[in-house]
Amino acid sequence: MTASIDTAAKDAKRPPYMGYAMAAAGATLFSTKSILIKLAYAQGIDAETTLALRMILALPFYLVIGIHAFSSMKAAGKEMPDAKLWLRMIGVGLVGYWTSSYLDFKGLEYISAHFERLILFTYPLFVVLIGAAFFRQRIKLKALLAFAVSYAGLALMFAQNFSALGASAMTGTLFVLSAAVTFALYQLLAKPLIMTIGPQLFTCIAMSAAGVAVILQFLVTHPIENLFVSTPLWGLSLALAFGATVLPSFFMSAALKQITPQANATIGMMSPVVTIVLAMAILGDAIGIADWLGAALVILGIGWFTLSERKG
């Protein structure tokens, strides 16, 4: 009996390695999103059409997985979500996967992929600030120190790339910055719902609600004929829907069940580094010494925060 208690105590103190791994996997897959979007834009479609194609292809995955998750819960005799909980999950999904995604896609019409990723991943700061202001979450000193290192790197990379952009830079920056704020709010609102209903069903409900909203938005603003795109665009859309949407969304929700929103957000700051590498390799973007120095600072901040979390 004592041995069992000791084992349970050790498990409770054990750092959530799997949570960290899933957060890193989600961030890496999400980092391909802006590259795929830029490739789609190069073929002449806009943000609303790209977002609609993404959700049309992603929605069946979420519906099938969601129905299976709901059936499994019912068969196991678990308590089903009530109407209020359904509305909360739908609302949070609209914030994180419709509003934030749309603002991000619009921003990519104006600025480069790696510049967008740098701005978007200022959202960890907003997670901490909004969490402290409205959710009574304590701001840890180690988080602030990690952010200081990582944001120094992001600022360096920001300055390097800002000078190369034209007058549209401000418009794109405001769009993506707004996406960062709404995504931070999503992270904080999603955490208690995930703990209540589980990551799988929550993700399916949130993404399905956002998918319906995206498709309705497209039908209101565009003729349906705009969806009749070329085969290469359907291929890019499928990669965007599954590899850069379905898989990372489940990774992120599963990570949020095991680690704090602040930890998830900080680990996610590796995403700009991955995007820079992909932008250079696939889009042919020129990457300077300042970009790599900034990337090194981002990695240093992520690594330090993760280790400090492990030590408590």
Side-chain angles (χ1 to χ4, degrees):
M1 185 70 175
T2 303
S4 299
I5 295 174
D6 290 341
T7 300
K10 288 179 180 179
D11 288 341
K13 293 180 179 179
R14 185 175 297 160
Y17 290 118
M18 187 57 68
Y20 294 140
M22 287 187 292
T28 300
L29 288 171
F30 268 135
S31 70
T32 66
K33 176 175 64 69
S34 55
I35 304 299
L36 293 168
I37 293 170
K38 278 295 188 182
L39 290 173
Y41 287 173
Q43 298 196 36
I45 62 174
D46 61 9
E48 290 81 3
T49 306
T50 306
L51 190 55
L53 290 170
R54 173 204 196 192
M55 285 303 191
I56 287 171
L57 291 171
L59 194 54
F61 290 103
Y62 291 114
L63 290 175
V64 170
I65 297 171
I67 291 171
H68 177 266
F70 188 82
S71 300
S72 297
M73 286 182 62
K74 193 172 182 180
K78 296 181 180 179
E79 184 179 355
M80 295 293 103
D82 57 21
K84 184 177 180 181
L85 191 57
W86 275 94
L87 289 174
R88 286 177 62 193
M89 290 189 287
I90 290 171
V92 172
L94 293 177
V95 171
Y97 292 115
W98 176 36
T99 304
S100 184
S101 292
Y102 176 65
L103 291 168
D104 186 34
F105 274 55
K106 286 298 292 184
L108 277 165
E109 289 186 337
Y110 299 93
I111 59 178
S112 67
H114 59 275
F115 186 39
E116 171 264 352
R117 187 56 41 175
L118 298 176
I119 300 169
L120 184 63
F121 273 81
T122 59
Y123 85 84
L125 176 60
F126 295 112
V127 169
V128 173
L129 294 179
I130 296 173
F134 300 104
F135 295 87
R136 298 181 180 179
Q137 295 183 2
R138 184 168 59 91
I139 300 179
K140 297 179 181 179
L141 178 60
K142 61 186 177 184
L144 294 179
L145 293 174
F147 288 155
V149 174
S150 294
Y151 279 109
L154 291 176
L156 181 62
M157 297 160 77
F158 179 94
Q160 175 71 13
N161 288 278
F162 189 80
S163 61
L165 299 173
S168 62
M170 183 58 66
T171 301
T173 298
L174 290 175
F175 271 123
V176 181
L177 188 61
S178 299
V181 174
T182 51
F183 191 70
L185 182 60
Y186 161 80
Q187 290 244 322
L188 290 162
L189 293 174
K191 176 74 173 181
L193 294 174
I194 290 170
M195 298 304 294
T196 300
I197 200 66
Q200 190 176 73
L201 184 57
F202 167 78
T203 301
C204 290
I205 294 171
M207 289 298 295
S208 295
V212 171
V214 164
I215 294 168
L216 289 176
Q217 177 189 20
F218 173 84
L219 293 175
V220 169
T221 59
H222 291 65
I224 195 169
E225 291 81 9
N226 283 20
L227 293 177
F228 303 149
V229 298
S230 65
T231 300
L233 270 175
W234 278 112
L236 286 171
S237 299
L238 182 59
L240 183 61
F242 187 71
T245 304
V246 175
L247 285 180
S249 67
F250 281 113
F251 278 132
M252 177 174 293
S253 293
L256 279 172
K257 189 174 182 180
Q258 298 189 38
I259 62 177
T260 64
Q262 288 88 345
N264 191 49
T266 304
I267 292 170
M269 288 171 65
M270 67 184 287
S271 185
V273 180
V274 178
T275 301
I276 285 176
V277 173
L278 293 176
M280 182 175 61
I282 298 174
L283 301 179
D285 289 359
I287 308 297
I289 295 176
D291 293 307
W292 290 116
L293 179 58
L297 289 173
V298 172
I299 294 172
L300 179 62
I302 295 168
W304 185 86
F305 181 77
T306 303
L307 290 174
S308 65
E309 279 278 287
R310 184 183 69 182
K311 296 175 181 178

